[in-house]
């Protein structure tokens, strides 16, 4: 059986919640009391890993875990409690009162000199930093665009057409060798990393787990379709300039042709996607459902909040 079909191995637990969820999947041991989710740090390793493991059952699953557990009622009850804790924290921390068009305009403003991760990697990053960054980002990029595909049945008209057009590009525009997840696997190989799906889950830090969980949370719940569109807009609008800096970092350090190409591809593609997502996806959605404006803004601000947490964690680790 292929690696794709069997999925990665279950990760090591990081606390009581994740230990009990993983144990339930491995040998049907007792699940945690759902109420214990409210005692956990919402952005911490334990809750985020437990939630990530629950969500992964909707992607490729894990080796040795029965596929039927994807819709297991007791496990879904625990997942719902984990989601509620996470979502409550996000709604408290990621707030903005401006209308969507103003929030989107703010995303388009690039500083003359920035201080984030892509700026650091462009100017001072070494191969060890790039490898560490790739290990973290592999938790998303090896499933790139998959969480966003769930929103397609929840959209209509211009929003659906625009979203489908962007997803078509993300999935290689009909060419398997151009699927963005496969391009990232090539980047990892250039950097001397194992490109197997889920290989670096045990190394994924809590902020990276939270960022991937955000996509799954928004994608799996129809009521959060506006937030998913807002999240997607934030990713597409900020991707092109950041990818340009990361492409420079790959070239400067001699990371390899495939490593550099992954980001140069995103410079061009996401510059086009930014226009489509603003005018067609968000524009079409809010024309059809103007009441979702606040959810779109929430998706944008929640993404920025979690990206900031990830950047602070990586820069602190590298500084140390």
């Amino acid at each position: 059986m292929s690696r794709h079909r069997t999925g990665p191995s279950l990760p090591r637990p990081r606390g009581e919640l994740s230990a009990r969820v993983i144990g339930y999947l491995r040998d049907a041991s007792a699940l945690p009391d759902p109420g214990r989710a409210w005692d956990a740090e919402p952005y911490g390793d334990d809750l985020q890993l437990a939630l990530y493991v629950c969500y992964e059952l909707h992607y490729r699953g894990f080796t040795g875990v029965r596929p039927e557990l994807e819709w297991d009622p007791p496990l879904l009850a625990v997942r719902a409690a984990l989601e509620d804790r996470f979502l409550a924290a996000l709604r408290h921390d990621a707030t903005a009162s401006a209308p969507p068009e103003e929030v989107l305009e703010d995303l388009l403003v690039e500083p003359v000199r920035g201080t984030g991760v892509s700026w650091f990697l462009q100017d001072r990053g070494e191969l060890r930093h790039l490898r560490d960054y790739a290990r973290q980002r592999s938790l998303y990029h090896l499933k790139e665009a998959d969480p966003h595909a769930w929103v397609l049945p929840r959209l209509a008209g211009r929003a659906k057409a625009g979203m489908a057009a962007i997803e078509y590009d993300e999935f290689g525009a009909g060419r398997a060798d151009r699927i963005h997840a496969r391009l990232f696997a090539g980047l990892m190989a250039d950097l001397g990393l194992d490109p197997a799906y889920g290989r670096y889950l045990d190394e994924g830090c809590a902020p990276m787990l939270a960022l991937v969980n955000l996509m799954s949370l928004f994608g799996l719940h129809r009521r959060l379709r506006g937030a998913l569109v807002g999240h997607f807009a934030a990713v597409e609008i900020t991707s092109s300039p950041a990818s340009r800096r990361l492409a420079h970092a790959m070239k400067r350090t001699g990371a390899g042709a495939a490593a550099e190409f992954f980001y140069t591809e995103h410079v061009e593609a996401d510059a086009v996607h930014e226009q489509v997502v603003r005018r067609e996806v968000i524009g079409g959605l809010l024309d059809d459902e103007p009441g979702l404006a606040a959810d779109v803004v929430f998706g944008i601000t929640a993404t920025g909040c979690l990206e900031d947490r990830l950047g602070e964690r990586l820069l602190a680790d590298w500084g140390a």
Side-chain angles (χ1 to χ4, degrees):
M1 187 174 289
S2 71
R3 185 187 299 269
H4 176 99
R5 293 186 181 278
T6 58
S9 300
L10 283 165
R12 295 188 295 270
R14 303 186 192 180
E16 180 185 354
L17 290 171
S18 54
R20 287 186 174 273
V21 168
I22 292 167
Y24 185 76
L25 297 180
R26 179 178 287 123
D27 55 25
S29 57
L31 280 166
D33 181 336
R36 296 301 299 272
W38 290 93
D39 299 328
E41 162 55 42
Y43 304 121
D45 282 283
D46 190 27
L47 185 144
Q48 291 299 328
L49 181 62
L51 188 53
Y52 188 99
V53 168
C54 289
Y55 284 146
E56 190 57 38
L57 300 178
H58 298 293
Y59 293 100
R60 300 193 190 180
F62 295 98
T63 298
V65 174
R66 293 184 296 111
E68 294 82 2
L69 288 173
E70 178 182 3
W71 299 108
D72 179 73
L75 184 61
L76 290 176
V78 172
R79 194 192 88 184
L82 298 171
E83 289 176 328
D84 288 346
R85 178 71 172 117
F86 183 34
L87 189 57
L90 287 169
R91 291 200 183 279
H92 178 271
D93 297 335
T95 58
S97 57
E101 55 271 20
E102 290 185 19
V103 178
L104 291 169
E105 287 297 326
D106 288 343
L107 290 179
L108 290 167
V109 178
E110 273 283 296
V112 176
R113 285 301 312 161
T115 57
V117 168
S118 65
W119 293 93
F120 173 87
L121 293 174
Q122 172 188 254
D123 299 335
R124 291 178 286 152
E126 302 171 9
L127 280 172
R128 64 189 176 93
H129 299 125
L130 295 174
R131 291 188 183 104
D132 188 32
Y133 185 71
R135 282 191 289 266
Q136 296 295 327
R137 287 291 186 181
S138 70
L139 299 188
Y140 168 62
H141 281 307
L142 291 178
K143 60 162 67 87
E144 184 167 342
D146 289 349
H148 307 126
W150 279 317
V151 83
L152 284 169
R154 287 107 189 239
L155 302 177
R158 288 166 52 209
K160 181 189 284 282
M163 192 76 186
I166 297 172
E167 288 285 271
Y168 180 67
D169 285 348
E170 300 284 352
F171 291 131
R175 292 178 52 184
D177 62 317
R178 296 298 293 268
I179 294 173
H180 285 189
R182 182 172 289 189
L183 296 181
F184 193 79
L187 173 148
M188 296 183 76
D190 265 4
L191 290 172
L193 301 173
D194 186 347
Y197 182 92
R199 165 66 177 78
Y200 294 105
L201 177 53
D202 278 324
E203 298 184 35
C205 63
M208 189 66 228
L209 294 173
L211 197 56
V212 182
N213 285 341
L214 181 79
M215 305 179 204
S216 300
L217 172 65
F218 289 167
L220 282 166
H221 292 274
R222 185 173 63 84
R223 76 182 192 277
L224 296 173
R225 62 194 179 280
L228 189 282
V229 166
H231 156 77
F232 191 65
V235 171
E236 294 298 322
I237 289 171
T238 59
S239 174
S240 186
S243 292
R244 184 176 293 107
R245 291 188 286 272
L246 292 167
H248 178 81
M250 295 296 175
K251 183 175 183 177
R252 180 178 57 77
T253 57
E260 186 179 347
F261 179 74
F262 176 80
Y263 287 110
T264 57
E265 168 73 6
H266 280 73
V267 171
E268 181 178 348
D270 290 346
V272 176
H273 294 171
E274 176 259 316
Q275 297 291 323
V276 177
V277 76
R278 289 178 68 206
R279 297 174 182 174
E280 302 303 320
V281 183
I282 291 181
L285 176 68
L286 295 184
D287 281 349
D288 291 342
E289 301 184 87
L292 293 181
D295 285 349
V296 171
V297 171
F298 171 60
I300 295 170
T301 54
T303 302
C305 177
L306 294 183
E307 284 284 5
D308 287 346
R309 294 179 69 90
L310 176 62
E312 290 167 4
R313 169 65 180 271
L314 293 177
L315 292 174
D317 288 348
W318 297 338

